[in-house]
């Protein structure tokens, strides 16, 4: 019985890079968001953090576009044979939800900035101008729209944080409890790492 | 002669001189041409407790000034508000917007002097009106003046409240994010036009 080759069970390097870079970006954004809402800051500092949060947020949105295009062009490795149908559905659903938030959260952020009563232009990292969404800046009464979008963005962020936590815990479960290679698939290929892709203990030389 | 007769006599003499000369004579305030390379029309403010400086790149001034004939001296300045630059891309993009200068409707700010007074030494004061964002308010501009031959250097500074002119609307109308007091600094080098 042939087992799938190690080389066919690996995410592409681009996918791996995008995954971890975006994970770091999202973690930073989440922390910044929580600080912006819950920590007393000097106005100048708060203002700076808002601008940086917008800059990183737009960067994540653009990376998400790249990510989606790449994903559509490169099928990820199949899930381990050992996974049950319910687990497979949960995994697929969870990943789909993550992709949804990768787009929805920056979009709601973009929308709330566009509807902001402050009408501050967005300049990414202080150098690259970024336009507002259409319609929103011209609304006659922006305050309630901005407030609604703020709520949506905030609750969406909490939902994403919860989803990421489940995602991370699930990956760790695969690695430490189920002892399969799901987590290592999303790590750069190393020789000598665990090679189990099924319940078989070791891979012998292929016959 | 009483004061009124003196003033009337002077006025008649001045009118006669004007008729008699084909060009503006030295009895009248001379015209001065501002040297843009050596002049600066700056402004300053405080945003989220951090001071910033900026300047206007495009403005024009019609100055007729003679320290001995202050009554016929006049300063008129027109500033192209869209030329404001503070070195911060976000701020500079916001300034011409509807909440701030609203340059689409009010492209220029103007200052017209109504009277210029000597305060002693090289200190002067120009009373006048500032029109900014469509609102006209009296403004007194204090300045110092050094004239060396045909070159004059004037330096002045005035503080004004931007909310008097509606610069900074909505959430910007309070001093919470951007201070209401802003400074205008002028440093003008002008050459007398003969």
């Amino acid at each position: 019985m042939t087992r799938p080759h190690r080389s066919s069970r690996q995410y592409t390097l681009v996918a791996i890079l995008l995954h971890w870079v975006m994970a770091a970006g999202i973690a930073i954004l989440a922390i910044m968001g929580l600080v912006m809402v819950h920590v007393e800051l000097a106005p100048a500092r708060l203002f700076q953090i808002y601008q940086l949060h917008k800059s990183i947020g737009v960067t994540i949105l653009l990376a998400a576009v790249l990510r989606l295009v790449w994903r559509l062009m490169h099928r990820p490795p199949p899930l381990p044979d050992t996974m049950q149908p319910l687990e497979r559905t949960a995994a697929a659903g969870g990943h789909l939800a993550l992709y949804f938030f990768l787009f929805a959260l920056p979009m709601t952020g973009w929308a709330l900035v566009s509807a902001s009563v402050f009408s501050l232009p967005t300049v990414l990292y202080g150098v690259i101008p970024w336009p507002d969404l259409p319609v929103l800046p011209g609304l006659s009464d922006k305050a309630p729209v901005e407030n609604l979008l703020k709520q949506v963005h905030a609750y969406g962020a909490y939902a994403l944080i919860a989803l990421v936590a489940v995602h991370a815990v699930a990956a760790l479960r695969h690695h430490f409890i189920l002892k399969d290679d799901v987590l290592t698939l999303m790590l750069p290929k190393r020789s000598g790492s665990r090679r189990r892709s099924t319940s078989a203990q070791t891979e012998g030389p292929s016959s | 002669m009483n004061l009124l007769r003196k003033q009337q006599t002077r006025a008649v003499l001045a009118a006669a001189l004007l008729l008699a000369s084909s060009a503006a004579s030295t009895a009248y305030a001379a015209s001065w041409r501002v040297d843009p390379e050596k002049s600066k029309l700056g402004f300053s403010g405080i945003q989220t407790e951090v001071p910033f400086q900026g300047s206007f790149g495009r403005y024009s001034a019609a100055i007729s000034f003679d320290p001995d004939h202050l009554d016929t001296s006049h300063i008129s300045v027109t500033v192209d508000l869209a030329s404001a630059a503070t070195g911060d891309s976000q701020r500079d993009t916001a300034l011409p917007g509807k909440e701030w200068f609203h340059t689409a409707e009010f492209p220029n700010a103007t200052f017209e002097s109504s009277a210029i007074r000597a305060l002693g030494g090289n200190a002067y004061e120009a009373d006048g009106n500032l029109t900014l964002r469509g609102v006209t308010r009296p403004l007194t501009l204090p300045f110092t003046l050094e004239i060396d031959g045909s070159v004059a250097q004037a330096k002045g500074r005035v503080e004004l409240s931007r909310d008097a002119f509606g610069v900074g609307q909505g959430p910007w109308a309070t001093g919470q994010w951007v201070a209401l007091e802003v400074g205008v600094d002028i440093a003008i080098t002008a050459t007398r036009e003969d």
Side-chain angles (χ1 to χ4, degrees):
Chain A
M1 190 178 178
T2 52
R3 302 293 180 204
H5 266 189
R6 193 85 184 91
S7 57
S8 75
R9 287 189 55 76
Q10 190 77 16
Y11 280 93
T12 58
L13 195 59
V14 171
I16 292 172
L17 220 69
L18 279 170
H19 176 271
W20 293 109
V21 168
M22 290 178 74
I26 289 166
I28 292 169
L29 286 172
I31 293 168
M32 289 173 97
L34 291 168
V35 166
M36 278 148 69
V37 171
H38 294 294
V39 177
E40 279 284 337
L41 286 170
R45 180 65 74 209
L46 180 63
F47 186 81
Q48 270 181 329
I49 294 180
Y50 261 96
Q51 306 320 308
L52 190 57
H53 186 88
K54 293 195 290 186
S55 302
I56 299 176
V58 171
T59 308
I60 292 291
L61 179 63
L62 297 174
V65 173
L66 277 174
R67 181 94 173 264
L68 186 63
V69 170
W70 190 264
R71 166 66 182 81
L72 294 172
M73 288 165 53
H74 300 83
R75 287 189 111 235
L79 295 167
D81 302 343
T82 45
M83 277 182 78
Q84 301 305 310
L86 193 60
E87 279 185 288
R88 289 169 183 272
T89 309
H95 294 154
L96 199 63
L98 281 167
Y99 269 100
F100 168 76
F101 277 105
L102 280 184
F103 287 91
L105 219 45
M107 289 301 297
T108 54
W110 191 1
L112 84 86
V113 165
S114 303
S116 172
V117 294
F118 283 94
S119 304
L120 260 178
T122 303
V123 182
L124 307 175
Y125 305 105
V127 283
I128 305 167
W130 184 259
D132 284 332
L133 287 171
V135 177
L136 293 167
L139 294 173
S140 52
D141 191 9
K142 289 157 84 167
V145 178
E146 182 189 4
N147 283 329
L148 176 64
L149 287 165
K150 266 190 190 171
Q151 297 295 313
V152 172
H153 188 73
Y155 283 109
Y158 293 131
L160 177 59
I161 291 169
L163 194 56
V164 166
V166 169
H167 177 71
V169 165
L172 293 169
R173 171 179 169 261
H174 276 277
H175 195 74
F176 290 111
I177 297 174
L178 301 177
K179 299 197 194 300
D180 60 31
D181 64 356
V182 160
L183 178 53
T184 59
L185 292 179
M186 199 34 108
L187 295 171
K189 193 170 175 180
R190 266 193 237 96
S191 56
S193 54
R194 63 181 69 191
R195 291 175 288 158
R196 283 180 297 251
S197 59
T198 66
S199 51
Q201 289 303 300
T202 50
E203 267 183 5
S206 42
S207 44
Chain B
M1 260 194 239
N2 68 20
L3 186 62
L4 184 58
R5 281 291 287 273
K6 253 197 194 157
Q7 283 175 339
Q8 284 175 335
T9 308
R10 202 179 289 157
V12 168
L13 271 172
L17 269 164
L18 178 62
L19 287 167
S21 59
S22 51
S25 69
T26 51
Y28 257 71
S31 293
W32 297 81
R33 187 181 61 252
V34 172
D35 184 350
E37 304 285 304
K38 297 192 184 127
S39 303
K40 181 170 172 180
L41 181 56
F43 60 95
S44 58
I46 300 176
Q47 177 180 346
T48 57
E49 292 156 19
V50 176
F52 66 88
Q53 312 264 353
S55 63
F56 294 101
R58 290 186 298 275
Y59 57 92
S60 63
I63 304 174
S64 44
F65 187 87
D66 185 337
D68 299 322
H69 298 275
L70 290 178
D71 51 332
T72 55
S73 296
H74 186 80
I75 300 170
S76 166
V77 185
T78 303
V79 184
D80 179 350
L81 294 171
S83 71
T86 66
D88 177 315
S89 181
Q90 182 184 44
R91 189 160 44 221
D92 293 350
T93 310
L95 279 172
K98 203 155 61 84
E99 280 73 24
W100 294 96
F101 287 142
H102 199 0
T103 57
E105 247 189 66
F106 309 107
N108 297 316
T110 59
F111 174 76
E112 295 281 345
S113 70
S114 52
I116 303 178
R117 283 187 302 283
L119 301 178
N122 64 353
Y124 296 84
E125 248 180 20
D127 284 337
N129 283 318
L130 173 67
T131 302
L132 173 59
R133 207 180 188 274
V135 176
T136 304
R137 293 252 185 278
L139 182 79
T140 298
L141 173 67
F143 61 98
T144 59
L145 183 65
E146 303 284 343
I147 300 181
D148 185 7
S150 62
V151 177
Q153 290 195 317
K155 281 188 173 43
R157 178 180 167 80
V158 65
E159 293 240 332
L160 52 93
S161 285
R162 60 178 179 80
D163 57 329
F165 299 90
V167 176
Q169 299 269 317
W172 304 107
T174 72
Q176 187 188 9
W177 300 102
V178 179
L180 297 177
E181 295 299 313
V182 300
V184 177
D185 289 275
I186 67 157
I188 301 287
T189 298
T191 313
R192 179 168 30 221
E193 289 176 317
D194 288 316

